[in-house]
Amino acid sequence: MKTRIKEFRARLNLTQEELAKKTGVRRETIVFLEQGKYNPSLKLAHDVAKVLQITMDELFLFD
Amino acid sequence: MKEGLNTSLQYISNIKCCESNFLLDLTHFFEVGEMNRRLVLVVSLAVTMVLFNLGAAFLFPGADTSVVTLGVGLAAGIVSAGISLLFGERSEVVSDKRTKKIHNEAMAYSWWIVFIFIAVYFWLDYFGKTKQTAPELASTIFILMTVTYILFWFVRERKGFS
């Protein structure tokens, strides 16, 4: 699984810490999400997509 | 008179406010506390216990080493908790689903390691290959569980838990 979190986060000038705070998770979780090393829950995926103002389809890429 | 009453009410509401914040802090620490703080606490407790386990025989000659270790380790744990609460790193970020999963997995793995240890120990004892007392065995299990938990937690945390 690949994600475009970093790309969309940069567009909104958000730091990992800020995104973590807005989604209610730890910064390390955002780091692992961006690296595709963590499979998030549906709620977290939804929350991240909402904060980044995009849909989940755009955010996560499945091979 | 009315002013005095207002001041008193304000004072009481301030106390209530502070109490609830204090309770919130405690709840935050014990249930969803910041992981670094917990790690510092667990590591300091484990290190202290190991050190006292090694040094208890010299510090308290003649006493039962294991009982002394457990007692001093428990006291050290309480002191570590106090130090951690007073000077520990404070952060708004709480533990999330990922860290909870890591915690659960580390707990399960450490439990299995201890289970295997006890199974092996049973047969060693059965064939008379070991002469540990019950308190010594208890402290060994306690240390084994703590160390394996930290080890598994650290490894899973580094890997990201996919």
Side-chain angles (χ1 to χ4, degrees):
Chain A
M1 182 188 74
K2 287 178 183 175
T3 68
R4 295 171 70 194
I5 295 174
K6 197 173 182 178
E7 181 190 330
F8 287 107
R9 186 171 56 76
R11 280 188 198 176
L12 293 173
N13 281 326
L14 277 173
T15 63
Q16 289 176 336
E17 185 74 50
E18 286 166 341
L19 181 59
K21 232 179 240 180
K22 287 185 177 185
T23 50
V25 295
R26 301 184 73 223
R27 191 185 66 82
E28 288 83 354
T29 302
I30 300 295
V31 173
F32 289 125
L33 258 179
E34 285 186 357
Q35 292 173 354
K37 287 183 178 177
Y38 176 55
N39 192 2
S41 65
L42 186 61
K43 188 186 178 302
L44 178 58
H46 172 264
D47 289 348
V48 171
K50 199 175 172 184
V51 170
L52 297 177
Q53 296 159 17
I54 46 166
T55 63
M56 278 196 270
D57 278 350
E58 289 174 288
L59 199 57
F60 298 100
L61 308 169
F62 295 95
D63 296 326
Chain B
M1 178 72 177
K2 198 178 175 184
E3 217 169 81
L5 186 69
N6 279 342
T7 316
S8 302
L9 285 172
Q10 183 70 42
Y11 179 71
I12 291 165
S13 78
N14 279 346
I15 290 174
K16 276 185 179 169
C17 156
C18 295
E19 276 176 354
S20 64
N21 281 344
F22 175 69
L23 286 175
L24 201 68
D25 278 356
L26 278 181
T27 314
H28 181 264
F29 178 77
F30 286 112
E31 286 179 6
V32 285
E34 215 282 325
M35 197 51 76
N36 287 341
R37 182 195 292 250
R38 281 186 182 183
L39 189 66
V40 167
L41 177 64
V42 173
V43 168
S44 54
L45 175 62
V47 169
T48 316
M49 285 205 71
V50 171
L51 286 176
F52 272 104
N53 197 29
L54 294 173
F58 300 102
L59 287 168
F60 306 98
D64 188 336
T65 313
S66 311
V67 175
V68 170
T69 304
L70 283 175
V72 175
L74 214 62
I78 294 164
V79 171
S80 307
I83 291 169
S84 175
L85 272 171
L86 286 172
F87 305 107
E89 187 185 325
R90 281 186 173 265
S91 168
E92 283 182 35
V93 185
V94 295
S95 66
D96 53 30
K97 210 168 185 175
R98 184 182 66 89
T99 54
K100 279 175 188 167
K101 277 183 181 176
I102 292 171
H103 162 76
N104 289 342
E105 192 173 284
M107 284 293 280
Y109 273 123
S110 69
W111 189 89
W112 269 110
I113 295 284
V114 169
F115 181 77
I116 291 164
F117 171 79
I118 290 171
V120 171
Y121 187 87
F122 172 82
W123 288 110
L124 286 175
D125 187 57
Y126 184 78
F127 290 110
K129 302 279 182 193
T130 178
K131 285 173 184 172
Q132 267 194 318
T133 61
E136 278 172 356
L137 183 64
S139 55
T140 307
I141 288 171
F142 190 77
I143 291 167
L144 183 69
M145 207 162 197
T146 311
V147 170
T148 49
Y149 171 80
I150 294 169
L151 198 72
F152 281 118
W153 189 90
F154 186 76
V155 169
R156 296 304 279 153
E157 173 69 25
R158 292 294 102 191
K159 283 189 176 178
F161 202 92
S162 53

